[in-house]
Structure formats: C-alpha cells, structure tokens
Amino acid sequence: MSDDREKLKALLLSEEMAQIEALRKLWSDNQLLSAKISEVLGQAADLTIAKDPSFQKKFSKIDSKSYVKAIKANKEMFIDTLTPIMGPMIRRSVTSAIRRLSSDINRAIELGFSAKALKWRWLAFRTGVPFTEIVFNNTIEYQVQQIFLIDNNTGLLIQHAGHEESLLQDKDAFSAMLTAIQDFVKESVTNEGQSLTAAELGDSLVWLVPGNRANIAVVIKGAPTQRLHNTFIQATENIHIEFHHEIADEKLWNNNPELKVELEKLLLTKTQSDPENEKKKSNFGLWLFLFLLLSLLSWAVWSTYKEHQLHKRITTQLNQTPGFILSDLEHKEDEFIASGLQDPLTDFSHLDEKVTIKGTPFISLDDDIIKLRIEKILDEPNIIVQVKDQMVTLQGAVNKTQAVNQRITFASMLPGISRLTDLSTQYPVLETWESYIQSNPIPNGIEAKKVNDTIHLSGASTQQNFDELINKVKKFGKIDSTAVEVFSINELEQLITKIPMNIINTTALNLQQTGRLDEIALTFKKMLIIRRDAKIQLTAQSDCQGPALISNTNSQSRLSLVQSYLTAKGINNKNITTNIMKCTTDTGQKDHSKIVVKFEVIQ
Amino acid sequence: MISKKVCMIGRFAVGKTSLVDRYVKNHFSEKYQTTVGVAISTKIMDESTKFVIWDIAGFEQDNHYKPYLRGAHAIIFVVDATEPESLHTLSQILADSPELKDLPSVCFINKTDLVDEIIWQDEFTDTITELTDHHFWTSAKTGDNVEDGFVALSHLLS
Ligand SMILES: Nc1nc2c(ncn2[C@@H]2O[C@H](COP(=O)(O)OP(=O)(O)OP(=O)(O)O)[C@@H](O)[C@H]2O)c(=O)[nH]1
Ligand SMILES: [Mg+2]
C-alpha cells in the first residue's frame, strides 16, 4: 500500500518532489546555500541600504583583529613601509602647525592696538574669557572654495561646485588623484578603517569626508573650524539619502543641477567682519572705556613729560652750578633731592625749584668757586677778583695795608690757582706831609711843623680847631701839642667888653689906658683868627656937662685916640666901627665916671 | 559629458607614461622617470566622453595596484615589443585579476620605432588575443598608432 502510495506520489508529484528535494539539499548543503545566497546578496544589501543608510556602517564593519594580528606578525614590514611616509608627514604637520602659530601671533600683534583689539580686550575684561581665546574666535576665517562629490569606486567626479578657474588641475583629474591618494594611504599607511581625511594643497587645505558611495572633498582656504567639519559630515550623509539615485547612476554624473545647487550651499565663507549681531549691541561702554583710557593715557603721558622736563631743567641747573657735581637727582613727594659733591661755597639760590642738597664736601676748582674763595679770604670789597681758567687777576683801588698784602699772598697759594696777577692800585693815594700842607692849609693862628716823625703844633685857636687839625694830621706822625694855646670866643669877647675904658684926656692916653688897649687889641686879634669879619665897635660917651658941642667934640677926640692906638697895634680899620652917644643938652653935672669909651664885638 | 576611468597596465618601463604623455600632451621624453603610485591625466575624447586615465606604476610588485583598478571602465594593456618579459607580466596580472578580461580593452605593443631590437614571435600575438580583441603596434616616440589606439577604446565604450 505504501508502495502504491509512493508510486502514485511519484507519478503525480515527481517534479515537485524533485524540486523539494533539491531545496532540501540546498538548505542542508551550506556550500550550495552560500553560493545561491551570494547571487542575490549584493542586490539585497543595496535594497537594505537604500531603505536604511545606517545599515551600511554595520554592514561594512571590518574585523580589526585580523589587521592587528597581521601588523604584529610583520612589524618590520610595517615599519619599513611607514618610515619613509611618516617622516615627511610629521615634518609637514609640524611645519604647518608652526606656520599657523606664527600667523596667529602675527595677527595678534597686528591687532595689538587696533580698535577691534581694544574691543576684544574690553570683552575679555568684562567676561573673564582669556583674551587669546577671543582673538582666536574672532580672527579665524576660512573660505570653502571647492567641493567635489567623488565616487568611491572609480574615483570619478559625481558633481563639483566652486570656481573651476581657481583650480590648477582638471577637476576630474583632481578627483581621481584624491581617490588614488586615498587608496594609497589606505593601503600603505593607516590602520584598519582609517583613511586620509585631510591634506594640504599649497596654502589650501583639503578635507576628505567619507560617505557610503561617494566621498566629499572640500578645498578650503584659511583656518576652518571643527564646526565646519561637522557640517560636512552631516552634509555627506544628507546627500547620500537625498541623492541616492543620482549617486548610483553613472549616467547622471557631472550633469546634475540639483545636486550642484546642493553642493553650492556648502561653499561657506567666514570672515572677520562677519558678526552682524554684535553690531546691534551698544558700544557705549566700550567708547566710554576707550575715552577714559585715552584720557588716562594722555594725562600719564603729559605728566610724565612735565616731570621729565622739570627733572631735566633742574639737572641742567645743578650741572651749571659752580662748586657742585651732581651724581643723582631723585623726585620724592614734591621734593627734589640732589646728591653729589658740594663745595662749601656753592650757591644754590638760583635754582627755581625746591631742591634738597645732600652734598659730600669737596674743594671745587671751578673758576667761580675760586673767585668766591679769594673774595672771602681777601675780605676787601674794593678788590675786584677775576678768575679765568684758574688764572686770577685782582683789580681795583684799595688801601694796601700790610694785612691786605698778606692776604693776597695767601690767596695766591690756594689750590687750583695757576697764576695770580695783582693789578689793584693803592687807595687813597699815599700822601706826604708836604703835599698835605699844600692842599690843606693849617687854620689861622696855628702853626704846624714836622720834624722827623713828630708834628709840632703851636699857636692859639679854639679847642675845636685844634682837635680837627690833630685828627687830620695824626696819620703823618706823632703830635706834639705842648705849645698850643687854646681859647674860646666867648672868653675873648668878655675880655674885650668887660670894662668900659674911663678916659678924660682928649689928647693922649695914659699908661693904664694903653695897657688896657694892648690887651684888647691882642684879644681881638685872636678873635679875628677865628672870626675874620668880626668888628670891634667903639662907643664914646660923655657926662654932657657944658655945651653939647664941646662934649661931642671931646668924645670924638677920645674915640679917635683909641682907634688910632688900636690901628697902631695892628687892627685893621675895617674891623673897627665907631659910635658917639651924642649930647643934646647940658646936664650941668660933672661926672667923670660917665666919660668912657665902651668896647663891643659885633658881627 | 560622461567620465570614464581608464587604467594603463603593464610592466615597468614599457612606456605607459610615455604613451599617455604623447596622447594627452603630444610630448615625448627619452628620460625614464618611473611613476610612483599613480599619475592621473584627463582627455576629452568627444562631446560625450572624457577619459580619466590612471597611469599606474609598473606592475612588477605583487598586487599593490589592485585598489587603483577598482571601478575601471576600460583597460589599456601595454607591452614592450623589445622585451618579451613584459608580456609575461600581463599574463600574471590577468591570472590575479581575471575580472579585467570582461572590461573593454586594447593592447599597445610599444616601442615599435626600435625596429632592430624588436623581439617578437607569433605566439606572443596569440597571447595578446587572449587578453583583448584589439591591439596596436605603437611608438610613443614617433606617435605611431597612439591616437588610433585611444580612439578605438573610446568607441568600444560608447
Ligand atoms: N624608443 C622608444 N622609447 C620609449 C618609447 N616609449 C617609452 N620609451 C622609453 O622607455 C622608458 C620608460 O618609459 P616610461 O613611459 O617611463 O615607462 P613606464 O611604463 O611609465 O614605466 P613605470 O612608470 O616605471 O612603470 C623611457 O626612457 C622612455 O623614453 C617608445 O615608443 N620608443
Ligand atoms: Mg610611468
């Protein structure tokens, strides 16, 4: 039965059974199954990736362990391969790092005093962010110049954006070259999964951003940021999703306006003058700060300048001060302190600032100081001292006493004097006794004679006259005044006027009368020595007894008698005046005591 | 315009670079400067085709060239008419990468100007026919057949 059934089965379902058998065989035979699946695997994978691009990453994972093993086993080979490549790579990277650093430094220096830099300094001050960081953030600039979307497989260009003119090479060649380099690096330089991600092309930078099917290569000038790099990673993923079809179809390559527009969006540029949002912020704080800074700065500069000028002026003045050698000038709290060598004779009165002198004593050989020193030693204001190049000349008129001469000799021995010429003259001019007598007559009545060193005075005069004379002549010698007679005018006048002379006789004078007249004449003569114009007045008087005419005539006679006698005794008539007290009536009384001649001295 | 990746394949010093230079720049140099890695040149063949030519360094080393061949649209095999060994190298490459046989290709038998030095046997030509249907007796020095060879390849591709 079962046989029949089997036969029937075989009859009816032989074809299907064979197929099932074949399928079973396929399932059980791993090799066969693999061969079969492998036929569709590619297609299936493409489908999966199309639905979910992230699958690619999982799918294309490489077993890193095998690479590690290989490297461990063949260290030498790897080293040999890497050495010639690593050296130049390291060198280049170091060079470029240095280049960038130096350009940063240059820029920082350039910006050092610009308005922008001040603004940043203000910002750094305000926010506490280090200045260098702010400079870095604000100065990095870049320009994405070229974008290549390159097929991973062939290295052919899928789409390009950017200025073709600025490309040195054909863009297709460029794409192929980049791919070739990438292949080369992948094969020979890097470890598992790693590939070339950046390269330098002249002064441009090339970034290679890997994608599933296509890589994006970006040519950038300047210093791009990490953020830009992230932008490109994102963009690569987006393009793979949005343009999956275009990337896959070779026929659409290099001829896809939509893709080109998409790539052109990535031609980003960042310049220093970019930050528009900052402009909106008020700059008042900054300007105020700048203004204050500027004011402070100008004040500081001005006061420094003034201080400097003052310092300079005082230094000059001190340096020009004779007898002072300036070594240091300090300014402390409104006071200048000058230290140096100071001659005791130094005069600082000409300084127009208050300067405290801290001087160490020394002997200055300055001409001006030598002059002062000599003047001080001579102590003779009439000597004019001149000093030039340590040669001293004395001029002027001075009484050259012995003391003065000694001092001049001493002065000539002072240090620093190479020669002393004394041109000073004697003053007053030295007088001899003879020349003195000639120009200064001795007062009347006095006689003066010089014998050897003694001046002998004689004669009569007033005490005052004698004193004056002695004073004047004592310099010529010792005074001998033993022979002088001293009188006084009053005494003399009294001697003359004291007694009226009783005189009766009209024709002759008796002895007593002549004696009296001799005395009067002598006295009056003495008086005349002092008072040359003095006059002696003779007044005759009678008792007026008898006829007045006779009385008056007699008076006249008596007067004449006296006058003649005085004249005879050497008194000039011009020094004599006469006067008669005339009688008008006869008194009738005889009185001899009233018959007299009176003597008076008038001017 | 469609770009095509064309790879020059052949033993070192057979004249790969010289042939490309002759075709692209119409220039030839006696001096031998071996290619390192790969050199890329492009040439517009006609209004719709542009060749991106990968001039790959001599194939004497094992397999290093393989990544460069990835995605190639066409192959130019090059042998030296004066150096039979260069043909042997091609055979080895094909043994390694048999898929190359399926690509459109031409073969340049180069240095034909060195008439006296040519060492050639008919069996060599047979070997070449196994590689490709099209071969050209070329000289990079004189330019003989070089352009014809490239143009023929571009026809194969369109
Ligand atoms: N006479 C002659 N010399 C040629 C010709 N083609 C190339 N040469 C010379 O052969 C030498 C090698 O040429 P290349 O073109 O550099 O050879 P290659 O195949 O590129 O070599 P690799 O880059 O090392 O793989 C050079 O000295 C060329 O001048 C030719 O047609 N005739
Ligand atoms: Mg070459």
Side-chain angles (χ1 to χ4, degrees), chain B residues 10-19 28-36 55-60 78 110-114 138-142:
Chain B
R11 194 178 194 246
F12 69 94
V14 293
K16 298 181 294 295
T17 305
S18 300
L19 285 162
F28 174 80
S29 164
E30 290 281 357
K31 208 174 140 200
Y32 174 39
Q33 272 185 308
T34 190
T35 307
V36 178
D55 169 19
I56 302 165
F59 280 65
E60 71 286 0
V78 185
N110 195 34
K111 302 198 188 176
T112 49
D113 57 289
L114 302 172
T138 61
S139 165
K141 187 171 179 177
T142 64

Side-chain angles (χ1 to χ4, degrees), chain A residues 81 87 91 115 118 130 182 231 234 244 307 317 358 380 392 402 405 408 419 422 429 432 454 492 538 555 559 564 601:
Chain A
T81 320
R91 252 200 314 279
L118 283 175
Q182 225 174 353
T231 309
Q234 194 65 49
H244 176 260
E307 158 89 27
Q317 283 180 353
K358 286 187 177 168
E380 193 58 67
V392 182
Q402 208 181 347
N405 281 326
I408 290 175
R419 200 172 70 206
D422 181 9
V429 181
T432 57
T454 311
L492 294 178
L538 313 175
S555 286
L559 209 52
S564 313
V601 178

